[in-house]
C-alpha cells in the first residue's frame, strides 16, 4: 500500500479452515528514520477497536519478528477504502464534507478514551519537550 511509508505495509490473502480473507501485514523495514513500536501500535489499534472505533481488528503481534521476519503485526483488512493520492486535485469529491466530519468525530472519540492501567503499561511515556527538540 502507499501511505505510511515509514513501515512496510502488505496486503495478503490468508486461507484457513474457516475460509479465505484479506489481511494486512505491517512491519518494520530494514531501516527507518522514525523509531516507533509495533507493539504500541498494535495495542492502540486493539484498544480503539474494542471501543467501537472504525479501525482494523488487530489479530497477531510479532514484537520480536520471529514469525513475520521483522517486528510487526497482522490485522484484518477494512474493505472499501483507499488512501488518497496527494496528486489528485479532488480526491474525495462529493464525499469530502462527510469524510471530514467522520474523521473529526472519530478523532474526538479516540481522544475521549481514558487511559487505563494496560494502556499505561503498554504505551511509551514521551516527554513533550524532548520530542519537540528532537523534531526541531
Amino acid at each position: 500500500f502507499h501511505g505510511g511509508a515509514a513501515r512496510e505495509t502488505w496486503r495478503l490473502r490468508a486461507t484457513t479452515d474457516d475460509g479465505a480473507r484479506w489481511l494486512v501485514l505491517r512491519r518494520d523495514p530494514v531501516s527507518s528514520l522514525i523509531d516507533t513500536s509495533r507493539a504500541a501500535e498494535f495495542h492502540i489499534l486493539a484498544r480503539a477497536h474494542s471501543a467501537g472505533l472504525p479501525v482494523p481488528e488487530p489479530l497477531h503481534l510479532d514484537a520480536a519478528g520471529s514469525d513475520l521476519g521483522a517486528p510487526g503485526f497482522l490485522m484484518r483488512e477494512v474493505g472499501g477504502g483507499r488512501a488518497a493520492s496527494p496528486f489528485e486535485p479532488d480526491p474525495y469529491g462529493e464525499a469530502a464534507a462527510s469524510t471530514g466530519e467522520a474523521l473529526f468525530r472519530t478523532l474526538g472519540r479516540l481522544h475521549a478514551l481514558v487511559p487505563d492501567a494496560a494502556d499505561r503499561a503498554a504505551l511509551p511515556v514521551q516527554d513533550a519537550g524532548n520530542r519537540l527538540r528532537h523534531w526541531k
Side-chain angles (χ1 to χ4, degrees):
F1 291 123
H2 72 279
R7 301 288 162 253
E8 293 180 1
T9 306
W10 301 88
R11 180 180 188 234
L12 58 111
R13 189 158 178 84
T15 304
T16 67
D17 293 338
D18 297 332
R21 66 179 56 145
W22 287 103
L23 302 178
V24 175
L25 165 64
R26 186 145 160 86
R27 68 180 196 170
D28 289 347
V30 174
S31 64
S32 177
L33 296 175
I34 300 173
D35 182 27
T36 58
S37 164
R38 273 348 84 232
E41 187 176 356
F42 185 89
H43 177 86
I44 292 165
L45 280 173
R47 179 79 151 87
H49 186 267
S50 69
L53 287 142
V55 301
E57 179 185 4
L59 300 171
H60 174 69
L61 171 65
D62 181 15
S66 57
D67 298 332
L68 303 174
F73 60 88
L74 287 168
M75 59 188 146
R76 288 191 198 278
E77 178 187 49
V78 175
R82 68 176 184 85
S85 167
F87 302 109
E88 291 179 67
D90 188 18
Y92 299 105
E94 293 180 12
S98 62
T99 299
E101 290 171 10
L103 169 67
F104 285 102
R105 192 171 33 259
T106 301
L107 285 173
R109 289 177 58 203
L110 176 65
H111 287 280
L113 292 177
V114 177
D116 60 17
D119 295 332
R120 287 187 284 280
L123 301 176
V125 175
Q126 297 183 354
D127 176 80
N130 286 338
R131 297 305 300 159
L132 288 171
R133 281 187 288 285
H134 169 81
W135 288 108
K136 183 179 177 187

